[in-house]
Amino acid sequence: MQRQHDDCICDTLITADVLVTQDEHRRILEDAALAVRDGRILALGSRRDLAVFTAAERLDLGNALVMPGLVNAHTHVAMTFLRGVADDIPLMDWLNRHIFPREQRLTAEIVELGALLGCAEMTRTGTTAFADMYLIEDAVAKAVDLSGLRCLMGEVLFSFSSPAYAGVEEAIALVREQERRYRDHPRLKVAVMPHAVYTTTPEILVRCGELARELGAPLYLHLAETESETEACLSAHGKRPLAYCADLGLLGACTTIAHAVTLNEKELDLLARSKTCVAHNPKSNMKLASGVAPIAGMLARGILPGLGTDGPASNNSLNMFAEMSVCSLLHKVCGGDPTLCPAGTVLDMATLGSARALSWPELGRLCPGAPADLIALDLSSPNLLPLYEPISHLVYAASGQEVTLTMVGGRTLYRDGRYTCLDYPLLRKEALKLKRWVCEHA
């Protein structure tokens, strides 16, 4: 048992049949209990050992599995408003013909509504923190603040204007102001997020790196997503995308690259040496036929990628349980090896690896002192019976619909079909505005 000997008072005492800790020893406890105080985990252990605690609230979950909340390493959460609008087409066609033209007409109301809907989806399916890159990101921040989730947010930076800024100088000033505004927020952090090599310039990327260092903020960008992107970078700059960014001084432990699909062996070595983080998005990469990221090569070099869904317009889901299953199966079949990306490794990616990709390493685990960001799954669900190996069920059998409890910082956001922070019936009605707006701007 782990607890403070002189302090047995807590805000909430949670008991459940199974507790998956994701701590440094990857312990799985049975007939377990977890004590929460001031938004953090005070103690965890057996139900019998923690019976000495006095709690203001007791949550006896019974036949349930409690685990860390999943961490989504890459989203454009507000793009729920474009879910299903433009499917089954190549990435650049998808972006240039269907996405960018609509996004140039975005309003803060549409972004906030789309983000609220995405937050509701993630809360329902067990995600407690996520990285988000989008336009009018202050509207996303409003949605996140209301939802109770955690978010590493970033205004996407282009070499051209957006609905949030007229030019690069205004964009840089906006990011600086956002970092100041949310600096002390307990659940929101700001990153510098240039969109990609092909939508920026060397000068903009250098300035983004300088801004990130000045603010002490993470740097986050799309990189090496498709072969066409790599060919364009070679044509324009004489270098492949990773080497191009390395020469601009952008790689490092505080940098996350989303996708990392077209990396060769030499580039994987560079990735490992620089300790640059990766956000892997298998479902989106499959849907857009972008390719398969060399995850086995990363793991062999000691790189634990984070796992993300990408946006709901290219996935078309924000469900991390679905992402875990697809991740493991994709790499097994592509590598011709059923031992690749085993369940435990994929769960590590969706928790610890994603937490690192968000530059938020205290997330993704349940241990004393860690934030009380946790979820519970109903083990009586038929697809989870019988239970032999909990990690196997989480990756291969669970759908996310078994989630009965979502908690962030000790605060319950979802319990047994009901949201505590969001007015979901009202949100459903408001979501009709998203469809009308998209149809009007077709």
Side-chain angles (χ1 to χ4, degrees):
M1 182 189 70
Q2 300 179 27
R3 66 179 177 86
Q4 298 179 13
H5 297 294
D6 59 347
D7 194 344
C8 294
I9 299 174
C10 64
D11 299 322
T12 307
L13 185 66
I14 300 171
T15 55
D17 286 357
V18 179
L19 174 61
V20 174
T21 66
Q22 285 297 95
D23 65 8
E24 60 179 336
H25 302 296
R26 305 301 191 273
R27 291 182 303 149
I28 300 175
L29 308 178
E30 296 184 355
D31 195 22
L34 182 149
V36 177
R37 189 175 71 187
D38 297 331
R40 292 186 175 269
I41 297 170
L42 180 61
L44 53 82
S46 72
R47 186 192 302 253
R48 176 180 297 178
D49 285 342
L50 267 66
V52 297
F53 274 82
T54 299
E57 178 187 26
R58 291 178 177 267
L59 295 179
D60 185 1
L61 303 180
N63 189 26
L65 181 152
V66 173
M67 62 178 288
L70 298 174
V71 181
N72 192 336
H74 184 54
T75 72
H76 313 288
V77 66
M79 292 182 76
T80 53
F81 75 95
L82 290 172
R83 192 193 327 248
V85 167
D87 290 331
D88 308 323
I89 53 180
L91 173 62
M92 290 305 170
D93 190 19
W94 179 77
L95 282 173
N96 292 320
R97 288 186 55 209
H98 300 278
I99 303 303
F100 287 163
R102 285 184 171 98
E103 287 181 336
Q104 285 297 318
R105 301 176 181 181
L106 273 177
T107 67
E109 180 187 20
I110 294 299
V111 172
E112 184 178 354
L113 268 177
L116 280 170
L117 194 60
C119 287
E121 180 181 354
M122 288 190 286
T123 301
R124 174 65 183 87
T125 54
T127 290
T128 53
F130 63 104
D132 191 71
M133 173 197 290
Y134 205 53
L135 304 152
I136 319 179
E137 195 70 8
D138 281 318
V140 175
K142 287 179 64 179
V144 173
D145 195 36
L146 181 61
S147 74
L149 297 178
R150 297 188 196 272
C151 180
L152 176 71
M153 55 173 278
E155 187 75 36
V156 63
L157 301 179
F158 299 113
S159 59
F160 45 85
S161 65
S162 89
Y165 52 81
V168 173
E169 295 303 323
E170 191 175 331
I172 295 293
L174 175 59
V175 174
R176 186 176 278 111
E177 171 58 24
Q178 288 173 338
E179 192 280 332
R180 184 202 62 77
R181 184 180 307 134
Y182 302 113
R183 185 176 301 159
D184 298 322
H185 196 289
R187 293 181 288 102
L188 284 167
K189 295 187 178 183
V190 171
V192 180
M193 295 193 178
H195 178 260
V197 166
Y198 56 88
T199 50
T200 58
T201 65
E203 293 76 19
I204 290 174
L205 289 174
V206 167
R207 289 198 63 183
C208 285
E210 292 171 346
L211 180 62
R213 288 187 288 273
E214 173 196 333
L215 299 176
L219 183 71
Y220 192 114
L221 73 160
H222 299 94
L223 196 73
E225 186 173 359
T226 64
E227 288 294 347
S228 61
E229 175 196 336
T230 296
E231 292 168 3
C233 191
L234 278 166
S235 176
H237 307 291
K239 301 168 188 173
R240 293 169 61 87
L242 192 72
Y244 170 69
C245 286
D247 289 348
L248 295 177
L250 302 183
L251 303 187
C254 293
T255 296
T256 296
I257 59 173
H259 301 297
V261 169
T262 62
L263 300 185
N264 58 32
E265 294 293 317
K266 183 178 179 181
E267 289 167 325
L268 289 174
D269 291 338
L270 172 59
L271 196 68
R273 288 196 308 273
S274 66
K275 300 182 180 180
T276 300
C277 304
V278 171
H280 177 41
N281 308 275
K283 281 186 68 181
S284 177
N285 291 157
M286 292 168 68
K287 183 167 180 280
L288 293 168
S290 299
V292 181
I295 298 301
M298 295 181 198
L299 294 171
R301 290 165 171 80
I303 302 167
L304 179 66
L307 190 65
T309 59
D310 207 350
S314 65
N315 185 299
N316 294 12
S317 164
L318 292 165
N319 186 332
M320 285 290 288
F321 280 98
E323 208 69 34
M324 285 196 292
S325 177
V326 166
C327 177
S328 181
L329 301 182
L330 170 66
H331 295 289
K332 291 178 191 303
V333 72
C334 285
D337 182 352
T339 69
L340 294 177
C341 285
T345 298
V346 174
L347 183 60
D348 282 355
M349 290 169 63
T351 53
L352 305 171
S354 289
R356 180 172 174 260
L358 267 63
S359 296
W360 217 327
E362 64 179 349
L363 303 182
R365 67 193 75 205
L366 299 179
C367 58
D373 294 7
L374 57 88
I375 62 174
L377 284 76
D378 179 9
L379 290 178
S380 68
S381 298
N383 56 310
L384 300 185
L385 292 171
L387 176 64
Y388 302 107
E389 170 50 58
I391 306 304
S392 171
H393 271 13
L394 292 176
V395 174
Y396 299 127
S399 69
Q401 298 305 310
E402 308 83 5
V403 172
T404 60
L405 171 71
T406 301
M407 177 180 286
V408 171
R411 180 187 184 190
T412 297
L413 309 183
Y414 178 85
R415 178 86 191 274
D416 296 330
R418 297 180 64 87
Y419 293 91
T420 63
C421 298
L422 298 175
D423 184 343
Y424 187 65
L426 177 61
L427 179 57
R428 285 178 56 193
K429 294 178 181 177
E430 290 288 296
L432 294 175
K433 293 181 181 178
L434 301 177
K435 182 176 181 179
R436 287 198 298 269
W437 186 91
V438 170
C439 292
E440 289 170 0
H441 295 86

